[in-house]
């Protein structure tokens, strides 16, 4: 499962969705609106799950942590 995440960054070029792989241990309960920590470059960022889909056209990294 792929989570589409909007990142909590106030920058014009970051105002888009990013796709992240949902680890199997979180698939049963991850839902829309939940806060997650995801990798972005060399750092980690907090974001919100806005959509769950089965596939992504991009190479995706895994969600690091679910906060909610």
């Amino acid at each position: 499962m792929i989570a589409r995440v909007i990142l909590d960054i106030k920058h014009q070029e970051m105002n888009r969705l990013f796709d992240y792989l949902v680890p199997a241990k979180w698939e049963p309960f991850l839902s829309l609106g939940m806060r997650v920590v995801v990798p972005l470059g060399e750092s980690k960022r907090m974001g919100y799950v806005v959509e769950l889909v089965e596939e992504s056209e991009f190479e995706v990294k895994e969600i690091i942590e679910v906060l909610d």
Side-chain angles (χ1 to χ4, degrees):
M1 178 185 326
I2 303 294
R4 294 218 164 113
V5 175
I6 187 81
L7 300 177
D8 191 19
I9 300 174
K10 294 185 179 20
H11 189 282
Q12 185 176 1
E13 293 179 14
M14 298 304 242
N15 193 17
R16 66 179 185 90
L17 300 179
F18 292 85
D19 290 356
Y20 289 94
L21 181 63
V22 178
K25 64 183 175 182
W26 293 323
E27 278 190 23
F29 68 87
L30 189 71
S31 61
L32 302 183
M34 293 181 90
R35 295 176 304 146
V36 293
V37 176
V38 295
L40 183 66
E42 298 296 319
S43 65
K44 297 184 232 177
R45 297 290 182 166
M46 198 269 297
Y48 298 89
V49 176
V50 296
E51 187 176 2
L52 295 168
V53 297
E54 292 301 316
E55 296 180 5
S56 176
E57 61 186 75
F58 305 104
E59 183 177 334
V60 294
K61 295 181 180 179
E62 278 192 354
I63 291 173
I64 297 170
E65 184 178 357
V66 176
L67 299 175
D68 292 321

